[in-house]
Every structure is written in C-alpha cells, then in structure tokens.
Amino acid sequence: MTLAFQANSKGITTRLSTRRWVSMAITLSMVALMTACGGVKFERAAGVKKFRALPLGSPVTAQDSIDGLPTPVLVVGILKLQTKTKVKEPDTANAAKKLKRYAATYGCDAVVGATSTAKTKVFKKKKKSLGQDGRPVFTVTETTVWTHSWTAQC
C-alpha cells in the first residue's frame, strides 16, 4: 500500500494511491453485494459465548430435533438463509449444505430443525412488437420467483 504524507498549513494529511482506492472500493462493493444476495445471517443466543470456527472439513450434522444429538447440547444461535428460485419446491439439499457450512464458521457442529417458508413474487414483462398489419402488438410474459426463507438452530 502506498501511503504518502503531505505537510501543509492545515497539518499533516495522508494520501492513498489511486490504484489502492479503486481496489478498496471494488472490494467493499463485492462484500456489500455478497451480503445482500441470499447470505446466511446469524443471531447469537443471549448469554452464549463466541466459539472458534471449526477446522475445515469438520463434520456438521443436520437433525430434525435436538433429541437426536449427544448431550450436553448448547444452542449457540439461529441461522437464517434466503434462497430465490423459479420453482415452487425448495432446494432442501442446497440449503442444508449452506447452513452446515456457515454453522461451522460460528463453531457449531450441528444444524437442528431447518424449516422454510415461501413467498412468491410475479414479475410482468411487456414486450412490444409489430404485427403483420404493421400495428404494435404487446405481449406480456409473467415470471414467478419463489423466495424460500430458511431458519435453523445452530
């Protein structure tokens, strides 16, 4: 990183190189874009300490209830995930994979009770074309997008 100091009558100021500013702006934009698009959110349970992330490749299990887990069980928090598809059926396998991966980053070795709710949104697109008689003809196409909201304990 190139950092230049300039002294003037107002004091000492610093100046980053233009290339560094551009790369910082691109990096921040990418981070903002990634967190806005279907990222996993984590809400830590009250009074629970932070745990280190599990080592890469550590097994994370998925269970329907806490009863199937070895004791003692500590609920660290709740994971929330949103996925958008053009089909009504939720992609359970993909959602479980993402939830497990993010659970490991928060030190969780299990994902419990993953459930989803779905919302639909219909997008209409109007297309203008010329008919055989030369007059404009409008065709409307509808696209339905399903947003599946997943929640699970970690």
Side-chain angles (χ1 to χ4, degrees):
M1 177 162 100
T2 306
L3 186 62
F5 292 97
Q6 295 177 340
N8 56 23
S9 61
K10 297 179 182 176
I12 297 176
T13 59
T14 59
R15 189 186 81 224
L16 288 174
S17 67
T18 305
R19 186 182 321 162
R20 182 59 67 186
W21 276 109
V22 170
S23 67
M24 284 174 50
I26 290 172
T27 303
L28 290 174
S29 300
M30 293 296 289
V31 168
L33 182 64
M34 288 171 55
T35 57
C37 297
V40 175
K41 295 180 182 176
F42 179 72
E43 294 178 4
R44 188 168 308 282
V48 176
K49 68 175 189 169
K50 289 185 179 182
F51 292 95
R52 286 186 183 165
L54 298 179
L56 191 62
S58 296
V60 178
T61 60
Q63 297 284 334
D64 291 332
S65 69
I66 292 179
D67 298 335
L69 296 174
T71 57
V73 175
L74 174 65
V75 177
V76 177
I78 296 178
L79 291 167
K80 295 182 179 185
L81 167 70
Q82 284 193 345
T83 57
K84 292 185 179 184
T85 61
K86 292 187 178 181
V87 294
K88 182 179 180 179
E89 308 307 321
D91 188 359
T92 307
N94 187 27
K97 184 178 174 182
K98 284 183 180 181
L99 288 170
K100 285 182 182 181
R101 184 175 63 223
Y102 282 96
T105 63
Y106 294 105
C108 301
D109 60 357
V111 175
V112 179
T115 59
S116 72
T117 57
K119 292 182 184 177
T120 61
K121 187 166 186 179
V122 178
F123 295 97
K124 293 182 181 182
K125 186 175 182 180
K126 196 178 205 183
K127 185 176 180 182
K128 180 180 176 182
S129 60
L130 292 177
Q132 290 181 349
D133 59 354
R135 292 185 175 183
V137 176
F138 295 97
T139 55
V140 177
T141 56
E142 291 185 356
T143 305
T144 303
V145 175
W146 294 83
T147 302
H148 299 280
S149 300
W150 296 86
T151 57
Q153 290 180 335
C154 162

